[in-house]
Amino acid sequence: MVDPTPDSAAHPRFADALREFGLDVEVRRFPDATRTAAEAAAAIGCELSQIVKSLVFEADGQPVVVLMDGASRVDVELVRHELGAGSVRRAGAALVRETTGYAIGGVPPFGHRTRTHVLADRRLLDHETVWAAAGTPHTVFPLDPKTLIAHAEGTLVDVRERPA
């Protein structure tokens, strides 16, 4: 269940990023954590593919954020190829927090602690509006995908795992 009133409970760092970009978005707070894309989609009442997952990977020891729709999985081999990296793996919780300033389940697409390379999967553009975490596992915000990707300074790529 989504609280129908806008909430200023976005993580303070993310709230600062919204102000810095001049974005006036409605941050919604959930009574329960929505750490997974499926939980968030159910709570919002949107399609799973409208959820933006902000996933942190480690490419040759360097963090990279991949923005992926909630219905898809990241193909790490495609990420490796995109980056020209020797190896790519999911980042651990400590690196995610150190890099972004947020805990897994609440990482927003921008407003991170450190400037990080961002890859955005092209499938996000399939929707007029997408929903992403607002810095906590309890908060989300809607935005059109082009604006979201622009503020994340994301490179548009095809890194979605294809069905076998």
Side-chain angles (χ1 to χ4, degrees), residues 49-69:
S49 60
Q50 286 180 270
I51 300 298
V52 178
K53 298 185 289 191
S54 299
L55 305 169
V56 182
F57 291 83
E58 209 175 330
D60 293 342
Q62 296 300 308
V64 60
V65 175
V66 177
L67 305 179
M68 178 61 64
D69 76 87

Side-chain angles (χ1 to χ4, degrees), residues 4-30:
T5 58
D7 187 76
S8 60
H11 187 285
R13 177 179 292 108
F14 185 68
D16 288 346
L18 290 174
R19 278 190 294 279
E20 181 182 315
F21 288 132
L23 291 173
D24 183 21
V25 298
E26 177 188 1
V27 174
R28 295 188 187 177
R29 181 173 178 78
F30 299 97

Side-chain angles (χ1 to χ4, degrees), residues 29-101:
R29 181 173 178 78
F30 299 97
D32 298 312
T34 52
R35 290 186 182 274
T36 69
E39 290 170 344
I44 294 165
C46 70
E47 292 177 36
L48 184 56
S49 60
Q50 286 180 270
I51 300 298
V52 178
K53 298 185 289 191
S54 299
L55 305 169
V56 182
F57 291 83
E58 209 175 330
D60 293 342
Q62 296 300 308
V64 60
V65 175
V66 177
L67 305 179
M68 178 61 64
D69 76 87
S72 300
R73 293 174 51 94
V74 174
D75 183 325
V76 293
E77 185 58 27
L78 291 175
V79 171
R80 188 190 69 71
H81 178 74
E82 262 318 311
L83 298 172
S87 69
V88 173
R89 63 183 182 92
R90 284 295 285 266
L95 181 62
V96 171
R97 189 176 285 280
E98 176 186 322
T99 300
T100 67

